[in-house]
Amino acid sequence: MFQPLIKADLGKASSDARVYLRPACLLDRPHEFDDACLRIADTMLWFAAWHVSVRDKDAVKSAIVLVPELDDWIAAMPDALAEAAAAQRAATQRPRGTLQLGERTIRLSEPQLMGILNVTPDSFSDGGKHVDQAAAIDAGFAMGMAGAAIVDVGGESTRPGAPLIWEGDEIQRVEGVVAALAKGGVAVSIDTRKAAVMEAALAAGAAIVNDISALRYDERAIEVVANAGCPVVLMHAPSAKSDPHEGGSYAHILFDVYDMLAERIAACSAAGIARERIIVDPGIGFGKGVADNLALVNGLALFHTLGCPVLVGASRKRMIGALDNEAAADARLGGSIALHYQAAGQGAQLLRVHDVAETRQALRIWRGLRDAALTA
């Protein structure tokens, strides 16, 4: 239940309180607001206010604070909260720049697509479609031609109830596909939580690691990524065990996911992974109900205050079926595009999708609308 936050409340916050700044009141025409708005990183999005929330014990209080007024609010906060708020504001504005993936430079000033290539027999949507290596390689090149900046190759299904497979089998599934795509000039990420698979895929030409456990499942994984010096996607899942969907009980979904990702960024930075190489993913559909997923999509702008590029993967997820008469996974294109369009509108830099060409078309319309607003 919403509880209003007033400036006088800030001085009463306990030592355990946490503050969360979320860009709010997004603008189409920032040039009309002069210094009364800020830009989200180096994206095409500006905002006029902050949604300021203070979480203290079991209570969350929130307020909308105009951009020019935030300094006064920070001045009213205890030192720890003030320091955190100032850091979040600075992180939101910090340019995300580019991802250098081998010879490919991926610019993050507008949304980029990551194509999903599952070389598995049992993935929830496309299981079995790309088990044949030649077919998988052809599909990967087709994704690149259709507009995928990155092709994400995965050799183990992580759908609810999927069995864990041996790392040797996973390597056998992905290694040849990664090597062929990388040799052909495709920027490849490896979707795995196992250190041995990461090592094999990176040696074969993968340039980025996408780990649904945020480098928690395999104790060697964080060292592998640090030594490789490659970018890494840290995704939120409630469990780092074999079943990533296990658990999934949240006091406040948006802040709980945020806190976990903040902790993983800190751990990875301490292990030698440069912050500019870290990408965060709120983990839509992993141990989360429909209401949780909707809250994460609606509140996505909060994650910009972590200072890292944001990836969203909502493609064909169960929440779409739940909202549309239990539509089957292969009948969720419209819902997938709607969710990713919403994510783009909140500044997501990377969108992980099955349907590359269709999503690329939607993003071209999104870009056209942004350009028109900025130049009219």
Side-chain angles (χ1 to χ4, degrees):
M1 182 177 177
F2 172 77
Q3 296 186 60
L5 175 68
I6 59 175
K7 202 184 303 183
D9 292 334
L10 297 173
K12 304 172 186 176
S14 75
S15 59
D16 295 325
R18 296 190 180 191
V19 64
Y20 305 85
L21 303 186
R22 173 160 56 96
C25 303
L26 297 177
L27 303 171
D28 289 332
R29 297 170 59 80
H31 46 285
E32 297 178 345
F33 288 79
D34 297 322
D35 295 330
C37 63
L38 294 175
R39 189 179 185 182
I40 296 177
D42 41 2
T43 70
M44 299 177 69
L45 296 171
W46 284 257
F47 60 99
W50 295 96
H51 187 277
V52 178
S53 296
V54 172
R55 186 182 192 182
D56 199 354
K57 299 182 173 64
D58 296 328
V60 174
K61 294 184 177 182
S62 301
I64 295 294
V65 178
L66 295 177
V67 162
E69 297 175 4
L70 185 63
D71 279 333
D72 290 341
W73 282 68
I74 290 178
M77 295 178 185
D79 289 347
L81 288 188
E83 182 179 345
Q88 290 176 30
R89 177 172 59 184
T92 301
Q93 297 176 262
R94 189 181 307 129
R96 305 298 186 254
T98 62
L99 290 176
Q100 193 63 46
L101 306 182
E103 297 181 355
R104 297 288 301 277
T105 300
I106 312 299
R107 303 191 183 280
L108 300 177
S109 54
E110 63 179 298
Q112 301 288 346
L113 296 180
M114 175 185 278
I116 300 170
L117 183 58
N118 291 317
V119 289
T120 56
D122 56 346
S123 291
F124 82 95
S125 175
D126 55 358
K129 190 174 181 180
H130 303 124
V131 171
D132 177 75
Q133 187 172 100
I137 293 168
D138 287 346
F141 282 124
M143 288 180 183
M145 291 292 291
I150 303 167
V151 173
D152 192 38
V153 178
E156 179 184 53
S157 174
T158 52
R159 62 176 172 76
L164 185 69
I165 70 165
W166 177 53
E167 61 191 23
D169 289 338
E170 190 175 341
I171 291 171
Q172 187 174 24
R173 289 177 180 178
V174 303
E175 195 170 28
V177 176
V178 169
L181 293 176
K183 186 176 180 180
V186 175
V188 180
S189 68
I190 179 64
D191 176 9
T192 187
R193 49 190 170 166
K194 302 188 182 86
V197 182
M198 294 175 192
E199 290 172 321
L202 291 168
I208 180 171
V209 169
N210 179 15
D211 185 353
I212 64 165
S213 78
L215 302 180
R216 296 179 300 160
Y217 175 79
D218 188 324
E219 63 182 15
R220 281 204 314 117
I222 197 166
E223 179 183 355
V224 168
V225 172
N227 290 340
C230 65
V232 61
V233 179
L234 305 178
M235 193 199 82
H236 175 276
S239 175
K241 299 177 182 178
S242 297
D243 181 0
H245 303 270
E246 189 176 270
S249 176
Y250 309 99
H252 192 295
I253 181 64
L254 193 59
F255 301 147
D256 289 351
V257 171
Y258 181 96
D259 289 345
M260 179 272 202
L261 290 174
E263 290 166 5
R264 294 309 299 158
I265 291 169
C268 289
S269 297
I273 299 173
R275 194 182 188 96
E276 59 267 24
R277 295 196 180 101
I278 297 174
I279 300 160
V280 295
D281 176 353
I284 302 297
F286 279 79
K288 302 171 182 77
V290 174
D292 296 327
N293 292 319
L294 293 173
L296 287 170
V297 175
N298 281 332
L300 190 67
L302 172 68
F303 297 99
H304 294 300
T305 66
L306 292 169
C308 301
V310 176
L311 181 151
V312 173
S315 188
R316 303 183 186 176
K317 291 289 176 77
R318 188 183 65 82
M319 65 179 293
I320 301 169
L323 293 170
D324 185 29
N325 290 323
E326 299 302 326
D330 60 359
R332 298 173 184 171
L333 173 60
S336 298
I337 290 176
L339 288 168
H340 290 119
Y341 194 95
Q342 172 75 356
Q346 295 204 45
Q349 286 92 353
L350 292 162
L351 305 174
R352 185 176 180 272
V353 304
H354 293 90
D355 304 290
V356 174
E358 294 85 351
T359 312
R360 170 54 62 195
Q361 185 177 77
L363 289 180
R364 284 178 175 148
I365 302 303
W366 180 88
R367 174 62 190 264
L369 291 168
R370 298 301 308 167
D371 285 343
L374 292 171
T375 59

